[in-house]
Amino acid sequence: MRVGEVVEDFELPDETGRPRRLSGFLTGGSVVLFFFPAALAPLCVKEACRFRDMAAEFARFGAQPVGISGDAVRRQQSFVNTHSLGYPLLSDRDGTIRERFHIIRGYAPDFAPPWAKFRRNTYLIGRDGRLLDVIRSDLRPSVHADLALEYFRQRSR
């Protein structure tokens, strides 16, 4: 998937179990689609809370965060409730969407925990469904929200 290409629509259940489509989110503006390895894991909490804390700033630019991991709906709901996230987390249990976005890491060692095989990427998707930018950083989770917001700030000038 390259910048400028249209992102194929998909549907996944959110933290309440309700099916949600990417196209449905895009009717409200741009989407900051971030993939995280595991709900409630320390670095994922840091990343998700950073998006939560910056949600109002994203909204000023017509963008909203949406998170995806392979966690079950119940665990996503616990994550949202525990940290008062205020935005949807989608459950990709079978990994179909993570594969489509190339989130699966090919080099995780056998002894690594299961969540270690997934990358931490963020995709900025315009209201028209086109990929605007990609942010990649596995070990610096806070940088995703910061760089995404900076992208929208620069575009608005």
Side-chain angles (χ1 to χ4, degrees), residues 44-123:
C44 297
V45 168
K46 188 174 182 178
E47 179 179 23
C49 288
R50 185 72 176 152
F51 276 109
R52 176 201 63 205
D53 296 345
M54 299 173 78
E57 292 179 72
F58 280 113
R60 282 195 338 220
F61 296 105
Q64 63 176 316
V66 176
I68 298 180
S69 77
D71 294 292
V73 167
R74 182 180 288 162
R75 189 156 173 92
Q76 299 287 42
Q77 187 172 44
S78 177
F79 194 16
V80 167
N81 293 340
T82 300
H83 297 285
S84 304
L85 295 181
Y87 57 82
L89 295 183
L90 306 179
S91 175
D92 183 24
R93 291 297 288 161
D94 68 2
T96 303
I97 304 307
R98 286 174 292 163
E99 275 187 38
R100 186 184 306 171
F101 282 84
H102 307 289
I103 301 302
I104 296 175
R105 184 193 314 254
Y107 58 85
D110 291 338
F111 60 84
W115 53 262
K117 65 182 177 181
F118 303 114
R119 303 193 67 84
R120 186 183 308 279
N121 289 355
T122 298
Y123 296 82

